[in-house]
């Protein structure tokens, strides 16, 4: 009988693109991964992968087997999850990825509560300013902010948050008065690489218009809100930052909320997970927990 462990090894090799990368993902040696692939091919009586010094490629039989392999592993995991669902404690490992600043501000406090409820479930949290590949890097769920653009995954909105135009008191004192949306758009600013088009709405009049900062006035561009916050604190320009990141700065006066009578487009917090037929129990429980908490 063919071991499901070899199915998982084969899946990892295909998705990682090499024996070495698969070994790193599985926490095994390259020799063990190679041995299991050879044993799987011998037990099936077919060649699944063609190999040369530079890359691996699926044979025609390998392509068909890979699709069946996914279904079988998913069915096996579903059976395990359903068996465990009768118990209040989950087991195994939940692999999560998100940004560094959101992890520190929101996910770590949430996981403290979540782990109290499910002490037998291990959690592996990875942080990065880039978007991880859930499939090849074997993550169960990604917590992403802003807008969801990856249609290959399922997404559940957990909550929303405000983004605020802010600057240091020294910077505000050094520029022309920022007393209108137009003045704000013309002020030197700090650009976030992943914030898309925005609109701005006047709270009292409920009027909405596009928010279009002058591209020529962008002093610095970064892909990390914490980095932009640091630049804003040193008086480098106006930054648009999440409210949960700058609460202390606003309270202590290190940053000033500009044009508070205007509100920029609220951003979403989303849980993304691979588009599989059955959602693993550990992922469903975590998403339900985060949604109930309102992503804190």
């Amino acid at each position: 009988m063919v071991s499901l462990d070899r199915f998982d090894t084969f899946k990892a090799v295909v998705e990682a693109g090499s024996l070495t990368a698969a070994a790193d993902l599985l926490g095994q040696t390259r020799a063990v991964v190679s041995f299991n692939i050879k044993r799987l091919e011998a037990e099936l009586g077919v060649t699944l992968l063609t190999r040369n010094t530079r890359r691996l490629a699926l044979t025609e039989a390998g392509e068909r087997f890979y699709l069946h392999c996914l279904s079988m592993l998913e069915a096996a995991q579903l059976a395990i999850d359903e068996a465990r669902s009768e118990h209040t404690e989950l087991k195994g490992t939940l692999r999560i990825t998100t940004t560094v600043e959101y992890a520190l501000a929101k996910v770590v406090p949430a996981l403290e509560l979540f782990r109290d409820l499910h002490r037998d479930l291990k959690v592996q949290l990875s942080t990065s300013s880039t978007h991880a590949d859930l499939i090849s890097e074997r993550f169960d769920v990604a917590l992403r902010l802003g807008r969801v653009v990856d249609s290959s995954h399922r997404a559940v909105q957990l909550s929303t948050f405000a983004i605020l135009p802010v600057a240091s008191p020294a910077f505000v004192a050094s520029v022309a008065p920022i007393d209108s949306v137009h003045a704000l758009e013309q002020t030197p600013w700090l650009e976030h690489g992943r914030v898309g088009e925005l609109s701005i709405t006047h709270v009292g009049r409920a009027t909405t218009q596009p928010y279009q900062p002058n591209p020529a006035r962008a002093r610095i561009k970064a892909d990390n809100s914490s980095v932009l916050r640091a630049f804003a604190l040193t008086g480098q320009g106006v930054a648009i930052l999440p409210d949960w990141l700058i609460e202390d700065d606003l309270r202590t006066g290190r940053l000033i909320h500009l044009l508070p009578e205007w509100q920029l487009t609220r951003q979403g917090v989303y849980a993304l997970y691979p588009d599989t037929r059955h959602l693993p129990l550990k992922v469903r429980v975590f998403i339900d927990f985060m949604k109930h908490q309102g992503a804190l």
Side-chain angles (χ1 to χ4, degrees), residues 84 87-94 110-124 282 285 289:
R84 289 175 174 165
H87 303 279
T88 57
E89 296 292 339
L90 300 180
K91 298 182 184 296
T93 300
L94 177 67
L111 286 178
E112 181 180 3
L113 299 174
F114 185 74
R115 288 279 293 114
D116 284 341
L117 298 174
H118 307 287
R119 293 186 176 274
D120 290 338
L121 180 66
K122 297 178 182 178
V123 175
Q124 178 181 318
K282 61 186 177 182
V285 170
F289 172 82

Side-chain angles (χ1 to χ4, degrees), residues 24-283:
D24 290 341
L25 287 171
L26 296 171
Q28 301 173 355
T29 65
R30 186 182 186 282
V32 168
V33 172
S34 179
F35 171 79
N36 281 322
I37 294 298
K38 290 177 181 177
R39 286 285 297 173
L40 179 61
E41 290 178 325
E43 290 166 345
L44 295 174
V46 296
T47 299
L48 300 173
L49 296 164
T50 58
R51 308 166 180 82
N52 57 38
T53 57
R54 298 177 61 185
R55 62 186 297 272
L56 296 174
L58 283 169
T59 64
E60 186 176 345
E63 290 179 353
R64 292 195 301 269
F65 181 73
Y66 174 67
L67 296 176
H68 292 303
C69 180
L70 292 178
S71 298
M72 294 185 70
L73 287 172
E74 184 180 333
Q77 188 61 52
L78 177 64
I80 294 170
D81 287 345
E82 287 184 345
R84 289 175 174 165
S85 66
E86 297 179 0
H87 303 279
T88 57
E89 296 292 339
L90 300 180
K91 298 182 184 296
T93 300
L94 177 67
R95 297 175 178 85
I96 307 167
T97 177
T98 191
T99 63
V100 176
E101 57 267 46
Y102 193 71
L104 291 173
K106 298 296 182 179
V107 181
V108 170
L111 286 178
E112 181 180 3
L113 299 174
F114 185 74
R115 288 279 293 114
D116 284 341
L117 298 174
H118 307 287
R119 293 186 176 274
D120 290 338
L121 180 66
K122 297 178 182 178
V123 175
Q124 178 181 318
L125 177 62
S126 177
T127 59
S128 174
S129 59
T130 61
H131 285 172
D133 187 315
L134 272 65
I135 301 300
S136 65
E137 298 182 53
R138 299 166 69 85
F139 285 111
D140 296 303
V141 61
L143 300 178
R144 292 185 180 164
L145 313 180
R147 297 178 300 173
V148 175
V149 296
D150 190 344
S151 60
S152 65
H153 299 313
R154 299 283 183 91
V156 176
Q157 185 169 343
L158 303 176
S159 66
T160 64
F161 61 91
I163 53 175
L164 312 177
V166 296
S168 70
F171 175 81
V172 172
S174 70
V175 297
I178 306 174
D179 52 7
S180 68
V181 173
H182 177 73
L184 179 64
E185 292 173 335
Q186 299 304 312
T187 302
W189 59 294
L190 308 169
E191 181 179 358
H192 195 301
R194 288 205 303 269
V195 174
E197 294 181 359
L198 297 172
S199 62
I200 191 166
T201 302
H202 192 280
V203 177
R205 298 193 297 269
T207 56
T208 300
Q209 64 187 67
Y211 177 68
Q212 300 173 325
N214 185 344
R217 305 289 281 172
R219 287 184 168 179
I220 297 170
K221 182 175 182 178
D223 63 355
N224 183 292
S225 293
S226 294
V227 172
L228 294 179
R229 170 182 172 269
F231 282 123
L233 287 169
T234 59
Q236 300 299 308
V238 174
I240 296 174
L241 298 173
D243 56 0
W244 46 263
L245 182 64
I246 54 175
E247 291 172 341
D248 288 344
D249 298 321
L250 295 175
R251 184 171 60 252
T252 59
R254 290 191 297 265
L255 291 175
I256 297 173
H257 180 190
L258 306 172
L259 299 184
E261 69 275 16
W262 290 85
Q263 293 182 349
L264 289 163
T265 309
R266 292 185 67 84
Q267 303 294 293
V269 180
Y270 296 89
L272 271 66
Y273 57 91
D275 186 7
T276 57
R277 185 181 305 171
H278 302 287
L279 181 63
L281 178 64
K282 61 186 177 182
V283 177

